Amino acid sequence: SWDKTIRCWEVQCQGKDINSIGKAQQTAEAPILCTAWHDEGSQVYWAGCDNKAFVWDLGSNQTQQVAQHNAGIQTMAFVRSPQAGELLITGSWDKTLKFWDVRQKKDILTHTMSDKIACMDVKFPLCAVATQDKKVTIYNLEQPQNPFKNFETQLKLQTRCISCFTDKAGYTVGSIEGRVRVEYINNTGSSFAFKCHRDNSKQLAYAVNSISFHPTYGTFATAGSDGAFHFWDKDAKQRVKQFKNCSAPITTTAFNQTG
């Protein structure tokens, strides 16, 4: 959070009743911008405006620095690579994407990007990185030394979020103009964009802050600064479900493992 704390919650679901209980907390030196789980669930990584990334061991409740940039770290992802083992990928406002060996706590690969990194998503081996100049770079994490493909978002304004398809055939990007671009990596002729999170009566467009794909069905959810979230089917090119607006902007979304 911007209050410099990271908190671990236990979510309890009983029928339609959902409760959350705070289990642990750490305080950072600066606002926290991103987090990532270790795939075994025993550790959490976090990073933020102090240019540093840390690992938090939930069992011992101890923290340790594992990465460093020259500017704030905007996004991160934990990856278990068959070739390189356990990696932490960090994207920063210093215009670099870094790969860290979390066991030795050193960077093993650095890519200099065209602008500040705005957002990133990883579904191994697909890694999609968006920069503030409306460009998207695709990496194959089985061969991450060079970019696999480069794209322009085709959106008019700044990119706010990015999410890879469940089947890894492409990605979606959302912008501050209330628009989403569905981009296929190989079959680019099928790519398209659509408007959402808008109030046509007031001629207002709200930022699309988050896009999350269902882990099984491939449908996705968008959430925006209008306090709304919707479910979409990219294959049918239609909205599946619209929910009642919340009282405040929604900044992030995520499906659980079962969807």
Side-chain angles (χ1 to χ4, degrees), residues 7-28:
R7 307 183 187 206
C8 185
W9 301 82
E10 179 183 344
V11 180
Q12 300 174 338
C13 300
Q14 295 182 343
K16 294 183 179 180
D17 296 327
I18 301 176
N19 297 303
S20 59
I21 301 173
K23 288 294 186 177
Q25 175 179 322
Q26 290 285 344
T27 301

Side-chain angles (χ1 to χ4, degrees), residues 33-34 47-48 53 67 69 71-77 88-100 111 113 115-120 129-131:
L33 301 176
C34 55
H69 279 264
I73 301 173
Q74 171 70 15
T75 183
M76 63 176 10
L88 184 68
I89 307 173
T90 55
S92 171
W93 295 335
D94 66 7
K95 304 181 182 181
T96 63
L97 182 74
K98 290 181 178 287
F99 292 68
W100 304 84
H111 289 290
M113 312 302 287
D115 203 341
K116 295 179 181 179
I117 293 177
C119 48
M120 173 181 67
V129 183
T131 48

Side-chain angles (χ1 to χ4, degrees), residues 155 172-174 178-182 192-194 196 208 211 220 222:
L155 301 176
T172 54
V173 287
R179 192 185 300 264
V180 169
R181 173 79 177 179
V182 178
F192 64 96
F194 63 92
C196 54
V208 181
I211 302 175
F220 63 94
T222 62

Side-chain angles (χ1 to χ4, degrees), residues 107-239:
D107 63 310
I108 58 174
L109 179 63
T110 299
H111 289 290
T112 300
M113 312 302 287
S114 58
D115 203 341
K116 295 179 181 179
I117 293 177
C119 48
M120 173 181 67
D121 191 36
V122 173
K123 287 185 175 68
F124 191 87
L126 176 62
C127 174
V129 183
T131 48
Q132 290 188 0
D133 55 359
K134 300 186 292 182
K135 294 181 180 179
V136 176
T137 305
I138 301 298
Y139 293 93
N140 176 0
L141 294 181
E142 293 177 335
Q143 297 176 324
Q145 293 81 7
N146 297 294
F148 179 71
K149 275 193 176 182
N150 294 289
F151 291 88
E152 297 278 349
T153 65
Q154 307 299 319
L155 301 176
K156 297 177 182 178
L157 300 178
Q158 184 181 356
T159 303
R160 179 60 62 88
C161 57
I162 192 167
S163 184
C164 299
F165 295 177
T166 304
D167 62 7
K168 308 167 191 175
Y171 61 89
T172 54
V173 287
S175 75
I176 62 173
E177 69 198 79
R179 192 185 300 264
V180 169
R181 173 79 177 179
V182 178
E183 194 74 58
Y184 290 86
I185 294 174
N186 293 317
N187 187 19
T188 56
S190 298
S191 302
F192 64 96
F194 63 92
K195 299 176 183 178
C196 54
H197 298 282
R198 298 190 175 204
D199 186 336
N200 293 326
S201 64
K202 298 180 181 179
Q203 294 185 328
L204 291 175
Y206 296 88
V208 181
N209 294 324
S210 179
I211 302 175
S212 299
F213 273 85
H214 190 281
T216 303
Y217 301 124
T219 51
F220 63 94
T222 62
S225 292
D226 56 350
F229 66 102
H230 311 291
F231 288 168
W232 306 87
D233 185 335
K234 64 176 175 57
D235 299 324
K237 297 184 179 180
Q238 66 180 12
R239 182 164 53 193

Side-chain angles (χ1 to χ4, degrees), residues 29-50:
E29 298 177 355
I32 296 170
L33 301 176
C34 55
T35 59
W37 280 95
H38 189 284
D39 63 356
E40 295 177 350
S42 59
Q43 297 176 326
V44 178
Y45 297 90
W46 89 73
C49 294
D50 59 358

